Amino acid sequence: MPYHNMGYHTEGPRDEPVMAELSVHREPSFYQEPFYQNCQPAQNHYHEQMYPQNVTEQQQNLTTLHHPQHAIQQQELSIQHQPQPAGPPQVVTPVKKKRGRPPKQQAEEGEMPDEEEDEAEAAKKAKRALNRFNGMTVAEVMARTLPDVITFNLDILIIGINPGLMSAYKGHHYPNPGNHFWKCLFLAGLTDEQLSYMHDQSLPENYSIGFTNMVERTTPGSKDLSSKEIREGGRQLLEKLKKYKPLIAAFNGKGIYEIFCKETFGVKAKNLEFGLQPYKIPETETVCYLMPSSSPRCAQFPRAQDKVHFYIKLKELRDQIKGLVPRDEVEETRYSFDLQLAKEDAKRIAIKEEQVDPEYERGGGVRQSNNVPN
């Protein structure tokens, strides 16, 4: 076999051939497809299973010789991916779904709210407030006051805590459509027909009912009032009651009477019961009556039908004070009975006397009869 078929040779005498090509073992590239993949599969079953396996083993051996670190990493990965022995089956506990609305997603730490979104939300709230009060701002509505509807010797004076925004804007008492006052007033029979806040000025003349508040200042809610304002308002209310002297001072809400009772009578009211109270306004015959707040926010009595009972009792108290109904007192009555007169009356109206019936007594109270009912 000639030497030039085996490899290249250096210049000079041809003493020893240089086996350059056969002495280098090249690692096959993993990015190129082997030549046998393009060939048709052999018909021999032995070559189909053994030949690819032998080629793979040769590639792994070459990789181990030239890249020992890479081989170690592959062994570690193969150990990690080995299937683990099957253990006992784990019991999956079902998660109970919570009722109600899902909680709002909290902002991530360090994330500041978008200023543009805040400005847009503030603009929407301002627009709703303007639409609610026909272009007036909340500050302008709060500058308004609600005049009392009161006169001397009223039957009932309804007392609230202070005017709300809608009351000050409308200029009438209890104008909120969700308030239960006007509905309960009609259902209890204190008015002959269903009225609204537009009729508040006519109630003193037609039904002897008036309106006032403990504090005159308008606020979005009663929580916006200071304790000093409430105490001063209680003193002004006392002077007002002494002046106009209504028969009944009806406090629309338990919190109002608690403050008034402490400031006026020096008694800290505990466990108050709705209805007639044991104290009268000093120097007058005005009695105090406590009823639940007509606001729909009243948690204890959220519906109008829950409050009608106290309005009915208010009407009964008014009628009792005015002498329109008899008092609930026991009167002794003497009865007399004359048997002879009773018999004569029985004959006159053709009532037969009851005769002794032996069959009735023998049958245990039921008269026996042969007649069978159809």
Side-chain angles (χ1 to χ4, degrees):
M1 180 178 182
Y3 289 105
H4 65 270
N5 293 334
M6 297 178 63
Y8 298 96
H9 57 86
T10 57
E11 295 180 356
R14 299 181 179 179
D15 295 334
E16 294 181 0
V18 180
M19 308 294 293
E21 185 71 21
L22 294 178
S23 63
V24 178
H25 297 279
R26 293 185 180 180
E27 182 179 355
S29 176
F30 293 100
Y31 299 98
Q32 296 179 359
E33 295 182 357
F35 69 95
Y36 59 83
Q37 291 185 359
N38 297 327
C39 299
Q40 296 294 331
Q43 298 296 330
N44 193 349
H45 180 71
Y46 175 80
H47 289 287
E48 286 182 358
Q49 296 185 359
M50 297 301 296
Y51 181 73
Q53 183 177 1
N54 294 335
V55 173
T56 306
E57 291 178 357
Q58 292 178 4
Q59 292 178 355
Q60 291 178 356
N61 294 335
L62 292 175
T63 305
T64 304
L65 293 174
H66 294 278
H67 302 281
Q69 294 181 356
H70 181 67
I72 294 173
Q73 292 178 0
Q74 287 184 349
Q75 291 179 1
E76 292 177 354
L77 291 174
S78 62
I79 294 173
Q80 292 179 1
H81 291 286
Q82 287 181 357
Q84 299 294 332
Q90 297 181 357
V91 179
V92 179
T93 304
V95 180
K96 187 177 180 181
K97 186 178 180 181
K98 296 182 178 180
R99 295 184 178 181
R101 296 180 179 177
K104 295 183 179 179
Q105 296 182 355
Q106 299 180 354
E108 298 180 0
E109 296 182 359
E111 184 179 0
M112 299 297 294
D114 191 0
E115 296 181 357
E116 295 182 357
E117 294 181 359
D118 294 343
E119 293 178 358
E121 187 66 22
K124 289 181 180 179
K125 290 182 179 180
K127 185 177 181 180
R128 285 196 298 266
L130 290 174
N131 295 338
R132 183 184 181 191
F133 303 118
N134 196 19
M136 294 181 63
T137 62
V138 175
E140 292 174 347
V141 176
M142 290 177 61
R144 291 187 172 188
T145 57
L146 182 64
D148 294 337
V149 180
I150 191 172
T151 186
F152 293 94
N153 302 321
L154 289 170
D155 291 345
I156 301 172
L157 181 62
I158 307 296
I159 302 170
I161 180 65
N162 76 306
L165 294 178
M166 188 59 67
S167 298
Y169 170 69
K170 296 285 187 179
H172 295 278
H173 294 266
Y174 305 106
N176 195 321
N179 199 286
H180 301 143
F181 175 78
W182 296 102
K183 186 175 183 179
C184 291
L185 209 66
F186 169 67
L187 294 176
L190 289 167
T191 59
D192 298 334
E193 55 182 346
Q194 177 68 63
L195 303 179
S196 66
Y197 66 93
M198 298 297 295
H199 302 89
D200 59 352
Q201 299 291 334
S202 63
L203 253 65
E205 181 180 356
N206 297 334
Y207 301 101
S208 192
I209 299 175
F211 302 94
T212 188
N213 289 291
M214 182 179 290
V215 181
E216 295 181 356
R217 187 169 74 91
T218 301
T219 59
S222 59
K223 295 181 179 180
D224 299 321
L225 298 173
S226 63
S227 57
K228 182 180 179 181
E229 283 181 301
I230 296 175
R231 288 194 300 268
E232 181 63 25
R235 289 190 288 267
Q236 294 178 3
L237 177 61
L238 178 60
E239 295 299 326
K240 196 179 298 184
L241 292 173
K242 288 181 179 180
K243 177 181 178 181
Y244 291 99
K245 297 179 181 180
L247 290 179
I248 305 172
F251 291 85
N252 189 2
K254 185 180 290 187
I256 309 170
Y257 183 74
E258 287 179 349
I259 300 169
F260 181 80
C261 187
K262 182 179 180 180
E263 295 296 329
T264 304
F265 309 116
V267 178
K268 187 176 181 180
K270 293 182 179 180
N271 300 325
L272 285 174
E273 297 291 340
F274 293 106
L276 181 63
Q277 301 301 308
Y279 305 106
K280 289 185 177 181
I281 303 300
E283 304 175 9
T284 68
E285 293 297 323
T286 302
V287 298
C288 297
Y289 184 86
L290 177 59
M291 57 186 184
S293 174
S294 60
S295 171
R297 300 177 184 176
C298 182
Q300 190 174 0
F301 303 97
R303 302 176 302 174
Q305 53 264 39
D306 301 330
K307 307 170 186 178
V308 174
H309 167 76
F310 302 99
Y311 286 77
I312 294 175
K313 292 298 181 182
L314 176 61
K315 179 179 180 295
E316 293 177 357
L317 178 62
R318 180 203 66 180
D319 296 342
Q320 182 178 340
I321 293 175
K322 297 181 69 173
L324 301 178
V325 293
R327 296 179 178 272
D328 297 334
E329 296 179 357
V330 178
E331 297 180 0
E332 185 178 355
T333 304
R334 299 182 64 182
Y335 295 94
S336 60
F337 179 75
D338 190 343
L339 180 60
Q340 188 63 31
L341 294 176
K343 289 183 178 181
E344 293 178 359
D345 292 340
K347 291 179 180 179
R348 182 171 53 84
I349 61 177
I351 298 178
K352 297 181 180 180
E353 294 185 11
E354 183 179 357
Q355 302 294 332
V356 177
D357 190 351
E359 294 184 2
Y360 181 84
E361 294 178 355
R362 190 183 306 113
V366 179
R367 185 173 180 177
Q368 299 177 357
S369 179
N370 296 328
N371 296 330
V372 179
N374 295 329

